[in-house]
Amino acid sequence: MANSGSPLIVAFGEMLIDFVPDTAGVSLAESTGFLKAAGGAPANVACAITKLGGKSAFVGKVGDDEFGHMLINILKKNGVNAEGVCVDKHARTALAFVTLKNDGEREFMFYRNPSADMLLKDSELNMGLIKQAKIFHYGSISLIAEPCRSAHMAAMKAAKEAGVLLSYDPNVRLPLWPSADAARQEIKSIWNQADFIKVSDDEVNFLTQGDSEKEDVVLSLWHDNLKLLVVTDGEKGCRYYTKKFKGKVAGFSVKAVDTTGAGDSFVGSFLLSMANDMSIFEDEAKLKEALSFANACGAICTTQKGAIPALPTQSDARELISKSKAK
């Protein structure tokens, strides 16, 4: 592998196929054709990291079907280590039908009953890979059903014990949970273990049942083991909170076509900055620079359909930043 000296970032969870209508602004019923795209937030994050020149691995499970093999190939083509990917002989790879509204926002309809990603067992985890990581990143979809939930807990515990930094982006997808209350409870059940948490403004609203614009509401999500809490505010940028300082970093205005993967592009970029320089938690200037770069990566990702094909390179992000400065 190239960049063998770079710190490894391991992303854990689901990888699936997104079917995206070829026309925006129509319902699933009205759509006449769909583009198939690889999806699943943790897998998107792994690809975002390699696209920016970093080193990542994905740990999860796909079905022994054409879609599952296609996903493994996409990981490999994108330079992501796929040694931690298992194949289930009996279950299918998960599918999601995504409708794009005219503003690029989305709605989801999922086919997972149960899909291969939900059937990952702790005995199938590539613990060697997980313990080598500098950062172990995960979401909350892997907490929804057993046996995957136990695998998630075991992977987190092994990472923590090996001194790996834990990164959590809950990525709330309500239709997948039995109820909103179940989602809130499970998402919060592992909250206090993370070193870094990224949530969107909408997720703050959902988790706190308060107003994400209010600082005391956001800070109700703070816990003492946290090194950094980041709230993303879409095109407006993001807010950051550490033990010592807090602030905001402006976003970049672009013409959004499809917001799929924007948050994952942001997270991948930021995890790479973090893995390369952990002093970012103490150095506010470095933190702001890394968050601005992550904002640029998120913005670029919205200008093209699909998550993985739209992920930016370092030079794409730098170009957007310098263009914005020139204005």
Side-chain angles (χ1 to χ4, degrees), residues 71 80 82 136 145 179 196 200 208 216 221 233 311-312 318:
L71 292 175
V80 176
F136 181 65
S179 68
F196 164 64
S200 69
T208 62
D216 58 330
L221 295 173
D233 292 305
L311 293 168
R318 279 199 289 269

Side-chain angles (χ1 to χ4, degrees), residues 11 14-16 39-46 58 137 139 141 169 171 173 264:
E14 69 286 349
M15 188 172 194
L16 51 121
N44 293 342
V45 168
F58 175 72
H137 174 74
I141 289 172
D169 175 358
N171 246 310
R173 296 282 176 270
D264 305 325

Side-chain angles (χ1 to χ4, degrees), residues 111 169 242:
Y111 284 71
D169 175 358
T242 74

Side-chain angles (χ1 to χ4, degrees), residues 17-315:
I17 305 278
D18 285 335
F19 285 95
V20 187
D22 54 13
T23 328
V26 295
S27 67
L28 287 179
E30 293 162 342
S31 301
T32 51
F34 293 88
L35 303 163
K36 76 179 194 297
N44 293 342
V45 168
C47 291
I49 290 162
T50 54
K51 190 92 179 259
L52 291 165
K55 190 172 148 193
S56 71
F58 175 72
V59 174
K61 199 177 202 183
V62 294
D64 190 6
D65 48 41
E66 282 210 24
F67 288 145
H69 293 290
M70 172 191 134
L71 292 175
I72 292 173
N73 284 332
I74 286 173
L75 287 172
K76 289 179 177 166
K77 268 199 196 106
N78 280 278
V80 176
N81 176 324
E83 288 164 28
V85 182
C86 303
V87 174
D88 194 294
K89 291 263 180 265
H90 308 290
R92 294 269 189 230
T93 301
L95 308 178
F97 285 84
V98 184
T99 45
L100 289 181
K101 297 190 230 161
N102 281 322
D103 60 0
E105 286 298 335
R106 341 139 276 171
E107 286 166 356
F108 297 89
M109 182 165 87
F110 294 94
Y111 284 71
R112 298 171 88 229
N113 54 340
S115 53
D117 59 288
M118 300 158 76
L119 301 174
L120 179 69
K121 300 196 280 283
D122 56 6
S123 60
E124 296 172 311
L125 290 168
N126 185 330
M127 287 300 198
L129 190 61
I130 291 166
K131 289 173 183 169
Q132 276 168 43
K134 184 106 183 234
I135 299 172
F136 181 65
H137 174 74
Y138 47 86
S140 69
I141 289 172
S142 40
L143 298 172
I144 296 173
E146 290 292 1
C148 185
R149 184 180 192 278
S150 292
H152 181 139
M153 302 309 259
M156 239 171 50
K157 183 170 184 280
K160 191 83 167 171
E161 283 169 4
V164 181
L165 186 126
L166 300 187
S167 162
Y168 185 21
D169 175 358
N171 246 310
V172 178
R173 296 282 176 270
L174 266 187
L176 293 177
W177 291 90
S179 68
D181 284 338
R184 250 180 236 110
Q185 191 178 335
E186 277 299 316
I187 287 167
K188 286 181 167 173
S189 71
I190 59 167
W191 201 259
N192 293 353
Q193 300 191 46
D195 297 290
F196 164 64
I197 293 175
K198 174 250 154 187
V199 271
S200 69
D201 47 358
D202 291 344
E203 288 165 345
V204 173
N205 293 338
F206 171 71
L207 291 168
T208 62
Q209 294 173 281
D211 177 358
S212 64
E213 305 249 322
K214 298 194 169 120
E215 190 167 286
D216 58 330
V217 171
V218 173
L219 287 175
S220 70
L221 295 173
W222 180 264
H223 66 78
D224 282 343
N225 300 324
L226 256 187
K227 290 179 165 60
L228 174 66
L229 173 68
V230 170
V231 179
T232 53
D233 292 305
E235 63 191 26
K236 293 197 300 247
C238 63
R239 289 171 272 168
Y240 59 87
Y241 303 86
T242 74
K243 288 187 172 77
K244 296 189 184 128
F245 45 75
K246 56 180 193 224
K248 338 175 125 137
V249 180
F252 296 87
S253 65
V254 292
K255 189 181 178 336
V257 180
D258 175 9
T259 57
T260 309
D264 305 325
S265 180
F266 174 94
V267 169
S269 166
F270 186 70
L271 292 182
L272 181 55
S273 298
M274 197 195 296
N276 286 330
D277 187 358
M278 289 283 185
S279 74
I280 202 167
F281 297 120
E282 276 81 48
D283 184 330
E284 191 168 9
K286 272 185 194 165
L287 177 63
K288 290 182 93 148
E289 195 181 338
L291 287 170
S292 180
F293 193 84
N295 283 342
C297 290
I300 292 164
C301 194
T302 67
T303 60
Q304 202 181 321
K305 273 198 189 138
I308 294 172
L311 293 168
T313 60
Q314 292 269 352
S315 60

